[in-house]
Amino acid sequence: MYSFILNGQPTACDTDINLLEYLRDYARLTSVKNGCAEGACGACMVLLDGKAMRACVLTTAKINGKTLLTVEGLSEQEKNIYSWAFAAAGAVQCGFCIPGMVISTKALLDKTSDPTRGEVKKALHGNVCRCTGYVKIEQAVLMAAKALREGYIPPADIAYKVGDRMPRIDAKDKVLGLAEYVDDMYIEGMLHAAVLRAPSARAFIKSIDISAAQVLPGVEAVITARDIPGRRHQGHIIPDWPAFIAAGEETRYIGDALAAVAATSKRIAQEAIKLIKVDYEELVPLTSPSQALAEDAPQLHPKGNLLAKTVLKRGNVDAAIAKAIHVVTQRYTTPPTEHAFLEPESALAVPNADGTLTVYTAGQNVYDDHHGIVSLLGVEENHVRIISKIVGGGFGGKEDLSVQHHAALLAWQTKKPVKNTLSRQDSINIHPKRHAMEMEFTTACDENGIITAMKAQLLADTGAYASLGGPVLQRACTHAAGPYQIENVDIVGLGVYTNNPPAGAFRGFGVTQSCFAMENNINLLAEKVGISQWEIRWRNAIEPGKVLPNGQIADQGTALKETLLVVKEAFEGSPYAGLACAMKNAGLGVGLPDIGRAKIKIEDGKAVILTGAACIGQGLATAMTQILCETAGLEYCQTAMAVPDTYLTPNSGTTTASRQTVFTGEAVRRAALKLREALAAAKISELEGREFYGEYSGVTDPMGSDKLNPVSHVAYGYASQVVILDEAGKLVKVVAAHDVGKAINPIGVEGQIEGGVVMGLGYALTEDFPLKNGIPQVKFGTLGLFRAGSIPEIESLLVEKNEAELAYGAKGVGEITSIPTAPAAAGAYFRLDGKIRTDLPLAQTPYSRKK
């Protein structure tokens, strides 16, 4: 028997088990999160005898006789102060890491009541955040320290409108561990799932014997491909991804599922998986696009190994290059990247008495989940209901089915609730990554540095399945020439299947790769011309009324030059500063249907926003609330936000392509206008039960349009970022100027910029995703994620020029924040030592890791 004090109460456990498991599965404490279970992320931080420790590396035996504290055990004063400070500072985004951050904060402040920022950084070293960039978390710690020293005065209610620095509406629950993520859910009698994966990246499966697993006590179901009642193959655009590989087929990557188990405990489910016997023949995997395109390469899919081809041509490129004074040609490579969201994938499927199925998920669109599960089960749409819980980060990595479909299939089979949660390593192995790319860019200019032509070939590794590989390749190509006035472009991109983990959506959506190549080439041209990195960009920058390389005419809200002006001083003030510019679309565009939808329903005297749009940490619910208050003239206390639910909320599309603030924001504004009309004649209490619907459809022209000036996207954001080094090559500061149109919530926009910059720095300097025979050679702790102590000063500069009616002039900012950072860093090192770095992560820097 092991005894200890837990949150002030004597507690005993009769077995020696992992402390994280005990706290979550037995004590039911939801503030202690399972982010990695390997001691690397800090999401499970607890206070043990006053010291911040990771629960996942402790056992009940190790804490025998000690005192343990979690966020649930904080005093009421501490709960009030921490929840206020983290909300007011804008330190909360997806929220999954925040309770762990609070514990590390308490450990610091219990010993040091007035810490320096350096001491705060050191205290947070054991905690990883993928969303915020740490800047606002550090500020929250300092604010909490001051409140604890000097006394805390609860903030007064404020009428928040568009443009105000409104704290996240979900911040308090996230800080205190009350916000419910899927893996926090517990239903009496629920079963636990485990999935048997492929034995190697490419293998021919001769047979799958599940008999031994079926008879293991506690196992209630074992399913394979033959147990799928509906359509086995899934996919956003191309249905090429099977829920299970069947006997007689080849696996295409290490994450392919062969069988799934539902059992009464996690331990039994894992034991059952080990009992399944698979007879297979090992095959040589295709691990590079060039290998897959070889004439004698085995065909991984019925239509071959070429997933997609994108071509964008304007003008006469060859003639312009031949005439140019300066020409630069370089080859570039960028690696796959792991999203590393803090919340591993989880889903809970619950059969209902009427024969329907409710699935709780944490993806980027409940309707995408719904479509896939309905298809797999072969049932009518109203037989499946998808409800989103709090989403612990996404960045594009939660757009595909990963756990939802297997949980649903097992629940459908057993008629019992089934939870399916990936381990961190399974998550790393299974979900799609950022595309690795090989690129050759040729850029030409005249004697004054005016770019006259660019030519590019892009080769993208889309891995085992299509996912969103086609659209990612399109964006990489349509943005490859950058936010400049270039009349002659010739861009060809190929997306190729391999036996590597699939590649799909990732913050930046292909533009991070092509921007790195283009911006580096521009720096080399600047050297040849004898002008600065800033000057060459200023001379070529897109302006309102001018034509983008894709043919679209830039609108009056275009503010690239304004972003260049506000970073000029920072760039020119350091000899080791690098500069890069970027553009990124808001919305799917290129002729695809793209609709934002929202309802406002009056319930219990409040205006409740209903939309299927997912908040994955970007603060969507808060921004929508501000738009509602601004438009309808309501106070914040008169509003509420419903969770995405396919039975109740209209489909507002996927949280992708930096589209939700624009598309759903405009839908909310239109619904709120109707509400405002009704409020002119009645009090809100007199409108009980009324619904007001808003919809916005973005009309664009398709790829390959024969229009002289097609409208590819309804809006573009622009950015200029400066990365500043010291003479030793260490990061000093990043200045990030972003054309955001109109900042609905400036504190939220700043948080997106800071988080995106830190993610971009990781892409530039430390993050890698090595593969061997198609198998990832990393775990969470070796991904190379930046921690608080390594982050330089980040200055966010918001350029607000757009006065369009659409969503009050807002532009999406979620993706573009990560795009120019890596080439800006490369530009800084080029100025430091004169070396051209054409591969990511950048070599020969103080951040380079031995391989």
Side-chain angles (χ1 to χ4, degrees):
M1 181 69 68
Y2 307 100
S3 60
F4 45 92
I5 303 298
L6 175 58
N7 292 332
Q9 299 297 316
T11 305
C13 179
D14 58 5
T15 56
D16 182 18
I17 61 173
N18 182 272
L19 181 59
L20 176 59
E21 180 184 352
Y22 173 81
L23 293 174
R24 289 188 58 79
D25 295 346
Y26 295 88
R28 306 268 180 235
L29 296 176
T30 56
S31 75
V32 188
K33 304 299 184 189
N34 185 356
C36 70
E38 61 182 52
C41 76
C44 66
M45 203 70 80
V46 296
L47 217 59
L48 186 62
D49 285 348
K51 183 178 180 181
M53 307 246 336
R54 301 169 183 86
C56 67
V57 298
L58 297 171
T59 66
T60 50
K62 288 181 180 179
I63 68 165
N64 187 45
K66 298 185 178 183
T67 299
L68 189 68
L69 185 79
T70 69
V71 168
E72 287 86 351
L74 296 174
S75 69
E76 286 305 308
Q77 182 198 34
E78 288 173 318
K79 288 180 179 179
N80 287 333
I81 287 176
Y82 287 129
S83 58
W84 161 77
F86 276 76
V92 182
Q93 292 190 26
C94 89
F96 196 82
C97 72
I98 297 300
M101 295 283 184
V102 169
I103 290 296
S104 292
T105 301
K106 177 173 170 56
L108 170 67
L109 300 186
D110 282 352
K111 296 177 181 178
T112 309
S113 63
D114 190 8
T116 64
R117 188 172 284 271
E119 289 172 325
V120 172
K121 286 179 176 288
K122 185 176 180 181
L124 299 178
H125 180 76
N127 299 80
V128 172
C129 177
R130 190 62 159 165
C131 296
T132 67
Y134 302 101
V135 176
K136 288 181 168 31
I137 293 177
E138 293 169 12
Q139 186 61 35
V141 175
L142 296 172
M143 290 170 63
K146 184 177 181 180
L148 287 166
R149 290 194 313 271
E150 301 178 3
Y152 165 71
I153 300 174
D157 288 335
I158 300 174
Y160 292 105
K161 301 295 174 64
V162 167
D164 291 338
R165 299 175 72 85
M166 181 179 180
R168 299 282 177 109
I169 64 175
D170 55 5
K172 183 175 181 179
D173 284 349
K174 287 178 174 178
V175 171
L176 299 181
L178 301 174
E180 194 171 57
Y181 301 82
V182 177
D183 199 36
D184 294 333
M185 299 180 71
Y186 174 80
I187 296 177
E188 193 67 37
M190 73 179 184
L191 303 176
H192 297 271
V195 178
L196 178 66
R197 304 288 172 178
S200 64
R202 182 166 174 251
F204 177 74
I205 305 301
K206 297 179 179 179
S207 65
I208 304 171
D209 183 359
I210 62 174
S211 57
Q214 286 176 309
V215 298
L216 181 69
V219 170
E220 302 225 0
V222 183
I223 61 173
T224 61
R226 63 189 177 191
D227 297 303
I228 296 175
R231 191 175 75 178
R232 181 161 61 105
H233 288 77
Q234 300 296 309
H236 290 285
I237 300 169
I238 299 174
D240 61 355
W241 197 336
F244 291 106
I245 298 292
E249 295 178 345
E250 285 185 18
T251 65
R252 295 186 179 90
Y253 86 116
I254 195 67
D256 272 330
L258 304 182
V261 170
T264 53
S265 73
K266 297 176 186 175
R267 179 184 57 81
I268 294 173
Q270 291 297 330
E271 287 181 5
I273 286 296
K274 295 175 183 176
L275 294 174
I276 298 173
K277 297 177 182 178
V278 179
D279 185 16
Y280 65 95
E281 177 188 352
E282 191 89 24
L283 300 173
V284 177
L286 302 179
T287 57
S288 72
S290 56
Q291 189 182 13
L293 289 177
E295 288 187 11
D296 59 348
Q299 300 300 287
L300 302 183
H301 288 272
K303 293 185 178 180
N305 295 340
L306 181 64
L307 165 67
K309 181 176 182 179
T310 293
V311 177
L312 176 62
K313 294 187 178 184
R314 290 180 66 246
N316 189 332
V317 169
D318 291 338
I321 291 174
K323 184 180 177 182
I325 302 298
H326 302 292
V327 179
V328 168
T329 298
Q330 287 286 344
R331 293 187 62 82
Y332 298 91
T333 65
T334 60
T337 317
E338 162 63 28
H339 298 76
F341 35 73
L342 263 287
E343 176 207 25
E345 299 89 333
S346 185
L348 174 61
V350 183
N352 302 308
D354 62 359
T356 61
L357 185 70
T358 299
V359 186
Y360 298 93
T361 67
Q364 293 182 221
N365 184 12
V366 289
Y367 282 90
D368 285 349
D369 293 348
H370 182 264
H371 175 77
I373 291 171
V374 164
S375 173
L376 276 167
L377 296 180
V379 296
E380 297 295 323
E381 290 191 356
N382 61 2
H383 277 63
V384 176
R385 179 182 188 180
I386 310 294
I387 300 175
S388 179
K389 305 302 289 184
I390 300 293
V391 184
F395 316 113
K398 292 181 179 176
E399 294 194 33
D400 301 84
L401 294 177
S402 59
V403 288
Q404 308 93 315
H405 53 327
H406 292 139
L409 286 165
L410 287 165
W412 196 255
Q413 179 97 351
T414 62
K415 307 303 179 188
K416 293 182 179 181
V418 177
K419 184 192 283 187
N420 185 22
T421 302
L422 293 185
S423 70
R424 175 56 69 179
Q425 195 60 48
D426 278 343
S427 176
I428 287 173
N429 290 347
I430 292 164
H431 75 250
K433 313 302 169 193
R434 176 183 276 141
H435 284 75
M437 288 196 190
E438 302 169 27
M439 300 169 286
E440 182 174 285
F441 272 55
T442 297
T443 316
C445 71
D446 65 14
E447 67 277 11
N448 296 313
I450 303 301
I451 302 172
T452 55
M454 70 84 63
K455 189 173 188 176
Q457 292 85 41
L458 296 85
L459 191 59
D461 183 352
T462 203
Y465 299 108
S467 182
L468 288 162
V472 168
L473 183 68
Q474 281 186 349
R475 285 325 145 265
C477 292
T478 57
H479 290 61
Y484 305 109
Q485 302 177 54
I486 307 175
E487 294 182 2
N488 304 289
V489 298
D490 183 347
I491 303 164
V492 178
L494 301 179
V496 184
Y497 287 117
T498 67
N499 290 120
N500 293 324
F506 195 123
R507 192 178 209 168
F509 213 74
V511 189
T512 45
Q513 297 94 313
S514 57
C515 178
F516 173 68
M518 182 63 178
E519 292 294 304
N520 272 293
N521 265 20
I522 289 176
N523 290 343
L524 296 175
L525 285 179
E527 285 286 304
K528 287 178 176 291
V529 176
I531 58 178
S532 73
Q533 294 179 11
W534 188 92
E535 184 62 35
I536 194 170
R537 287 170 173 82
W538 177 260
R539 294 182 185 184
N540 291 281
I542 191 66
E543 300 176 53
K546 302 297 184 179
V547 181
L548 286 161
N550 62 12
Q552 183 165 341
I553 298 174
D555 64 28
Q556 293 305 306
T558 298
L560 176 62
K561 281 202 162 181
E562 287 81 348
T563 68
L564 277 166
L565 284 173
V566 296
V567 302
K568 185 178 182 182
E569 183 178 351
F571 174 77
E572 294 181 345
S574 170
Y576 310 129
L579 170 66
C581 296
M583 61 183 284
K584 184 66 177 71
N585 57 289
L588 304 179
V590 294
L592 298 173
D594 200 3
I595 304 174
R597 301 180 179 92
K599 290 192 296 186
I600 299 172
K601 184 176 183 180
I602 310 304
E603 290 183 329
D604 300 324
K606 289 190 174 187
V608 182
I609 302 170
L610 295 102
T611 176
C615 180
I616 61 175
Q618 80 275 35
L620 179 73
T622 307
M624 297 306 99
T625 300
Q626 290 178 263
I627 289 174
L628 168 58
C629 290
E630 176 77 33
T631 310
L634 297 176
E635 303 297 319
Y636 165 57
C637 61
Q638 295 175 289
T639 69
M641 187 84 186
V643 300
D645 180 337
T646 56
Y647 272 22
L648 302 176
T649 58
N651 187 359
S652 199
T654 307
T655 294
T656 192
S658 297
R659 60 179 298 280
Q660 290 296 7
T661 300
V662 177
F663 282 72
T664 302
E666 176 62 11
V668 169
R669 190 185 73 87
R670 294 183 179 189
L673 285 171
K674 297 176 182 177
L675 171 59
R676 186 173 73 184
E677 289 182 14
L679 287 170
K683 296 178 180 178
I684 193 169
S685 58
E686 297 170 343
L687 300 176
E688 190 70 20
R690 289 274 303 275
E691 289 187 359
F692 304 89
Y693 179 74
E695 179 175 306
Y696 167 68
S697 179
V699 180
T700 54
D701 296 311
M703 286 287 294
S705 170
D706 57 5
K707 291 183 178 180
L708 178 63
N709 299 113
V711 176
S712 296
H713 297 280
V714 298
Y716 289 97
Y718 300 90
S720 297
Q721 290 186 4
V722 173
V723 171
I724 302 171
L725 307 173
D726 64 18
E727 60 186 13
K730 298 286 285 186
L731 295 166
V732 174
K733 185 176 182 179
V734 178
V735 180
H738 283 262
D739 163 24
V740 301
K742 173 65 178 177
I744 303 299
N745 185 339
I747 197 171
V749 175
E750 290 167 1
Q752 287 290 288
I753 293 172
E754 291 156 3
V757 164
V758 172
M759 189 175 282
L761 290 174
Y763 188 49
L765 298 169
T766 59
E767 293 183 40
D768 204 357
F769 198 79
L771 296 161
K772 184 177 181 180
N773 295 324
I775 301 173
Q777 302 298 295
V778 290
K779 55 184 181 179
F780 189 87
T782 62
L783 287 170
L785 307 179
F786 266 97
R787 295 178 182 267
S790 302
I791 298 306
E793 179 187 352
I794 301 173
E795 183 179 3
S796 302
L797 302 173
L798 309 188
V799 175
E800 297 182 272
K801 178 183 178 182
N802 193 18
E803 297 180 359
E805 183 179 81
L806 181 63
Y808 288 101
K811 297 180 181 181
V813 74
E815 290 190 280
I816 193 173
T817 56
S818 285
I819 293 171
T821 318
Y829 283 103
F830 183 49
R831 291 186 72 195
L832 176 69
D833 59 21
K835 295 179 181 177
I836 301 168
R837 292 166 171 84
T838 57
D839 306 316
L840 291 178
L842 301 174
Q844 296 179 300
T845 79
Y847 303 91
S848 299
R849 297 187 293 172
K850 293 181 180 180
K851 296 185 178 180

